[in-house]
Amino acid sequence: MSAIHDVVVVGGGIFGVTAALELRRRGASVVLLDPGPLPHPDAASTDITKLVRLDYGADAFYTGRMEEALAGWRDWSSRWKRPLFHETGILFLCSGPMDEASFERSSFDSLSARGHRLERLDGRAIGDRFPAWARGRFVDGYYNPQGGFAESGAVVAALAGEARALGVAVREGARIRPLEGDGRVEGVVLDNGDRVSGGAVVIAAGAFTPVLVPELADRIRAIGQPVLHFSPPDLGPFEPPGFVPWTADIGRTGWYGFAAHAGVVKIANHGPGILVDPAAPRRVPDDAEAFFRSFLRDAIPSLADAPCTLKRLCLYCDSFDGDFIIDRHPTRAGLVVAAGGSGHAFKFAPSLGGWIADVTLGAGGAGIFRFRWRTLGDARREEARFTGAS
Ligand SMILES: Cc1cc2nc3c(=O)[nH]c(=O)nc-3n(C[C@H](O)[C@H](O)[C@H](O)COP(=O)(O)OP(=O)(O)OC[C@H]3O[C@@H](n4cnc5c(N)ncnc54)[C@H](O)[C@@H]3O)c2cc1C
């Protein structure tokens, strides 16, 4: 039987590592468990880049949270040896006029109303400033000079290093078994049968969370999303400022991507994805490359025939409403769940640890309303109560 920790954190992705660090900063003794090594190659947080954007359509809640987190990214970057957050700005492209209902228009309007200075662009300006894009293909949009991308895997590695330095017991090679029983949670059991005890247990296992906390299986799903890297012989045309992280009619098509980084240009699609078993071998669908190349042929022709040097299936931990779940289990004392990143949580990294520590160490109800423990039924009842619908 190992020492009793104040908090056992399960999962060394961005939810878990930021939680471990913040809990330790607040004086708790913490052990962080992960099959490792950290950053884990299969973790959603482990990648060369992730978008860090303020732009959240008309959703003032996430926009406000991102204003706080962006300040955190700038602070982190100022104290890291090498900046792992690159504020290149982000380009939001529309193939037609930015109409009222579009993600781009509602982002533009809500950010402008909050005092953020954005640069509206027409087709000519897009072609002149960002020449790699097919001229005339996108006729409206804007450039937001704030935001950019984070080197996500390197960020997890840096934070894990800080956690170790602060005294977090980081245990790699430690996979836990699904939680059993229905009473108070006083620890976890590892695959090898060892018990790790703690006053509280935080499950932050990403897409594996519903495997470990089965009662979440009706509201969290593992969704596979292909990510492809292209290696054009000349990266110059794909480097800032002439080429920055971008979205292209993302509300309708899901397309987004990054400037050249680590020798490649990464492209991804925030689409419906594929429902998967998180433990199953990760397989990118055979038609993914053709699908990506058809987009490139149409939008970024000079990249369409570049060698594809990596195909990866990364897993979203999708909650039924797209909001995170950071809360105490309603009936199992000692258990906290921090998951449901739903394809958009990494950018909140500077704030995640604080949100999770508030719930773990704070009095009941210390969490954020939109991240509370909820069911589809709750959401519907909430909706009905809110809209007066029966
Ligand atoms: C394709 C893709 C693109 C994305 N792009 C963006 C973006 O541009 N911007 C953005 O903000 N967000 C983005 N996201 C979302 C973001 O990556 C996730 O929301 C976030 O990284 C989730 O972090 P996590 O800690 O919950 O999960 P993970 O990073 O998956 O970490 C979970 C950890 O739990 C561990 N674990 C699993 N089972 C066990 C067990 N039994 N015992 C112990 N440990 C266990 C795993 O090893 C892993 O290290 C993207 C996600 C994907 C998939």
Side-chain angles (χ1 to χ4, degrees), residues 164-182:
R164 285 189 186 91
L166 221 56
V168 172
V170 179
R171 285 183 59 178
E172 296 170 311
R175 180 194 310 279
I176 77 155
R177 296 177 184 167
L179 297 180
E180 289 168 354
D182 53 12

Side-chain angles (χ1 to χ4, degrees), residues 148-192:
F149 70 93
E151 300 179 32
S152 60
V155 168
V156 171
L159 295 172
E162 288 182 25
R164 285 189 186 91
L166 221 56
V168 172
V170 179
R171 285 183 59 178
E172 296 170 311
R175 180 194 310 279
I176 77 155
R177 296 177 184 167
L179 297 180
E180 289 168 354
D182 53 12
R184 166 172 268 282
V185 175
E186 295 176 332
V188 296
V189 181
L190 303 182
D191 268 357
N192 65 7

Side-chain angles (χ1 to χ4, degrees), residues 325-340:
I325 297 180
I326 301 179
D327 203 355
R328 293 173 176 219
H329 190 290
T331 57
R332 302 198 68 177
L335 179 58
V336 171
V337 167

Side-chain angles (χ1 to χ4, degrees), residues 71-85:
W73 281 110
R74 292 169 181 152
D75 171 53
W76 276 358
S77 260
S78 66
R79 59 183 176 79
W80 279 328
K81 284 199 211 73
R82 181 174 76 75
L84 302 176
F85 164 57

Side-chain angles (χ1 to χ4, degrees), residues 6 20 24 26 33 60 62 68 136 148 163 168 170 180 194 205-206 224 253 284 287 296 298 317 358 366 373:
D6 293 331
R24 184 74 195 111
R26 297 188 191 186
L33 306 174
Y62 280 117
E68 297 153 7
V168 172
V170 179
E180 289 168 354
D194 281 2
T253 70
V284 174
D287 60 359
L296 293 174
D298 175 44
C317 175
D358 289 349
W373 187 280

